[in-house]
Amino acid sequence: MKVKELILRPSKVSQRDRQLLLAHLLRVKPPELYLKMEDEVPLQLLEEYERSIKKLEEGYPLQYLIGEWDFYGRTFKVMEGVLIPRPETELLVEKTLELLDSQRDYTGLEIGVGSGCIAITLLLERERLFMYGTDINPKALKLTSINAENYGVSQRLKLLQGKDFEPVKGSSL
């Protein structure tokens, strides 16, 4: 089956999500799919695509299937059990950046750090910022650690396991 046929085949899954999934499986950027419309999809990838489409039709998030998602122009690793970065959260980052003078030192705290997209983005945008991130979920802390390492900010991000403010209670952030 050709790329074009897969993209145009009717499904409960949006065409955009089918394109993103197929691009991921073919290891190309989504716009590059248009250059591959007449290419045959290898049988093994076709089978994986079909399994993935069934999961998507059942409501499983695309982001977990492909293992990454974009936030504020950067790609972050994501995994099941950790919240997926949302576009609305980018507004929070923008507003926070407006409040942070790039010439001053700051220390910040993100409660429920998840994938780390907020803290890491802030660290990348403000070189004089140091962040703490707390989360009750050890999986989230591991994922944040991986994302922070990928973006080279792990030395300015201290991750602590626990609920809400508990991990930093009594400290002088």
Side-chain angles (χ1 to χ4, degrees), residues 75-88:
T75 303
F76 289 85
K77 300 235 178 270
V78 297
M79 65 171 46
E80 191 171 344
V82 179
L83 292 177
I84 298 162
R86 302 195 41 90
E88 307 85 66

Side-chain angles (χ1 to χ4, degrees), residues 37 42 75 79 86 115 123 126 141-142 145 158 163:
M37 288 297 201
T75 303
M79 65 171 46
R86 302 195 41 90
S115 65
L123 289 166
R126 293 295 182 267
L141 294 171
K142 178 67 176 160
S145 179
K158 181 165 176 87
K163 186 177 179 186

Side-chain angles (χ1 to χ4, degrees), residues 8-92:
L8 295 176
R9 187 169 17 161
S11 171
K12 294 178 196 173
V13 177
S14 73
Q15 186 173 6
R16 179 182 176 270
D17 283 357
R18 290 188 315 237
Q19 289 172 328
L20 291 171
L21 173 63
L22 193 52
H24 171 73
L25 293 174
L26 292 171
R27 290 178 166 57
V28 298
K29 294 179 180 170
E32 293 173 24
L33 274 182
Y34 294 101
L35 302 174
K36 298 188 167 291
M37 288 297 201
E38 296 302 320
D39 291 4
E40 289 289 328
V41 176
L43 183 58
Q44 183 180 346
L45 286 182
L46 183 58
E47 290 169 354
E48 188 174 348
Y49 177 83
E50 295 295 344
R51 281 191 303 274
S52 297
I53 288 294
K54 282 186 176 155
K55 284 181 119 177
L56 292 173
E57 287 175 343
E58 294 167 359
Y60 193 78
L62 172 68
Q63 296 89 334
Y64 292 152
L65 275 176
I66 63 177
E68 61 187 27
W69 202 243
D70 287 350
F71 180 84
Y72 213 77
R74 298 176 178 97
T75 303
F76 289 85
K77 300 235 178 270
V78 297
M79 65 171 46
E80 191 171 344
V82 179
L83 292 177
I84 298 162
R86 302 195 41 90
E88 307 85 66
T89 309
E90 292 184 15
L91 294 173
L92 171 71

Side-chain angles (χ1 to χ4, degrees), residues 96-112:
T96 303
L97 290 171
E98 287 174 13
L99 297 171
L100 299 179
D101 181 345
S102 62
Q103 303 305 311
R104 287 191 50 207
D105 293 336
Y106 293 98
T107 300
L109 169 65
E110 181 181 2
I111 296 172

